[in-house]
Amino acid sequence: MNNKVKWGIIGPGHIARKFAADLLLSENGTLHAVASRDADKAKSFADQYKASTFYSDYESLAMDSDVDVVYVATPHAFHFEHTMLCLKNGKSVLCEKPMGMTPLEVQTMIAEAQKRKLFLMEGLWTRFIPATEKVLDLLADNAIGTIINIKADFGFNPPFDRNHRLFNKALGGGSLMDIGIYPLYLALLVSGKPDSIKATAKLTVTGVDSSCRMDLTYKNECRANLLSTLEEETPTEAIITGTNGYIKLHTRFHHSKIITIEMNRQKKEIVLDYNNFGYLFEIEEVNGCLMEGKTESVKLPLHDSLALSHMLDMVRKNIGLY
Ligand SMILES: NC(=O)c1ccc[n+]([C@@H]2O[C@H](COP(=O)([O-])OP(=O)(O)OC[C@H]3O[C@@H](n4cnc5c(N)ncnc54)[C@H](OP(=O)(O)O)[C@@H]3O)[C@@H](O)[C@H]2O)c1
């Protein structure tokens, strides 16, 4: 692939707008096509974000032979269907989080991509944010010693709307699948898959979790105390504590621009600023992988997405959410 990577976007909603704005800044990628179920919406999105073409159905985009990779940005419950549509039409995929609603869906998506030798990655942009990269470097250097605790919360207070994807069960609603995935991913990234998870939740009248507390334990005695909530604005910070100190990812921790590290009672603040919505880093990771002919990212491998899906499943079983 010599020229710029040509992207397609399926589901031009809230997040796709930010993604497309960042794609305009990309050195190695360009927006080729967008598909909405509404032709006018597709056209206006294409005009605003300089796509060469647009479609009024998702299948036509999946069949466009000029598209190299599709960003699937529909609500959670459709990630499986739309990713499979793209893969079966020979397209690589960056699928928004969570990659599927169940481990079986994720496993099936991975198997399809592998069978067809296509690139597949979950849109966990957190992994590529400079602050996350810095934290991983510090941990690899054993900067704070052995990790003993991870504390992370993610909370905001949207108005209740039974039809919105956050509260609508058919669209995969609830705090866990939408934002609880970020603290869980941080724990996975830092300490791996836990040995057990205990979780409690409050459910809405629509049958999804409005808040979810998760306690993870590891054989090496590391623990993680995590929270997601749609009931209150919480600090949305993360603190990783080790035997020699701690690292704090400042709010919002999943795309932080500031970290603090404290060791031997000495505090140091590190600013890792960036001038985009934060999606440019994952976009360039995908571009790079495609240009090198890779079918998955070393930084965000498919087995991490599967492990994360199992963790979400463990939580759901605990809180009785199916
Ligand atoms: N990475 C992040 O920071 C981040 C942030 C927010 C959300 N997300 C993820 O991105 C995904 C989309 O979130 P969003 O907030 O952008 O959602 P949204 O705006 O509510 O919906 C995205 C688009 O999905 C399409 N869609 C297809 N079938 C639909 C259906 N039955 N009901 C509603 N919409 C449908 C719609 O596009 P058309 O009608 O135009 O076809 C809609 O504009 C979610 O899975 C979420 O987890 C990620």
Side-chain angles (χ1 to χ4, degrees), residues 11-16 35-38 41 58 71 73-76 78-79 82 96-98 123 125 164-165 171 177-178 182 254 279 282:
H14 162 74
I15 202 59
S36 165
R37 298 168 299 172
D38 172 336
K41 192 175 156 197
Y58 298 162
Y71 174 53
T74 49
H76 319 335
F78 308 108
H79 290 175
H82 297 147
E96 256 308 338
K97 39 62 63 174
W125 57 317
H164 190 276
R165 68 167 188 82
L171 298 180
M177 298 298 273
D178 198 62
Y182 287 111
H254 67 304
Y279 302 96
E282 70 173 354

Side-chain angles (χ1 to χ4, degrees), residues 242-257:
T243 43
N244 302 335
Y246 72 83
I247 300 172
K248 171 171 160 176
L249 282 143
H250 290 238
T251 189
R252 280 181 160 170
F253 77 87
H254 67 304
H255 59 118
S256 181
K257 293 182 174 178

Side-chain angles (χ1 to χ4, degrees), residues 149-276:
N149 191 263
I150 302 153
K151 198 169 182 310
D153 66 280
F154 195 151
F156 66 108
N157 190 10
F160 178 75
D161 171 356
R162 61 171 56 245
N163 298 315
H164 190 276
R165 68 167 188 82
L166 283 175
F167 298 101
N168 183 332
K169 195 163 184 166
L171 298 180
S175 77
L176 172 67
M177 298 298 273
D178 198 62
I179 51 178
I181 191 170
Y182 287 111
L184 277 175
Y185 177 60
L186 185 72
L188 176 69
L189 196 54
V190 165
S191 287
K193 202 171 164 191
D195 296 292
S196 75
I197 300 184
K198 287 205 164 52
T200 54
K202 274 207 247 173
L203 299 187
T204 64
V205 290
T206 50
V208 302
D209 61 296
S210 55
S211 70
C212 184
R213 285 188 183 277
M214 300 161 273
D215 290 314
L216 282 51
T217 49
Y218 292 84
K219 281 206 183 80
N220 64 6
E221 296 192 354
C222 172
R223 285 177 181 270
N225 315 111
L226 314 175
L227 167 72
S228 60
T229 176
L230 301 173
E231 294 175 352
E232 55 182 316
E233 300 281 338
T234 69
T236 309
E237 295 170 341
I239 298 178
I240 303 162
T241 309
T243 43
N244 302 335
Y246 72 83
I247 300 172
K248 171 171 160 176
L249 282 143
H250 290 238
T251 189
R252 280 181 160 170
F253 77 87
H254 67 304
H255 59 118
S256 181
K257 293 182 174 178
I258 306 172
I259 60 175
T260 296
I261 176 159
E262 180 166 338
M263 287 171 301
N264 309 319
R265 302 215 156 90
Q266 299 280 317
K267 251 190 209 178
K268 187 172 148 199
E269 197 171 272
I270 306 171
V271 177
L272 295 136
D273 207 1
Y274 53 86
N275 292 317
N276 58 69

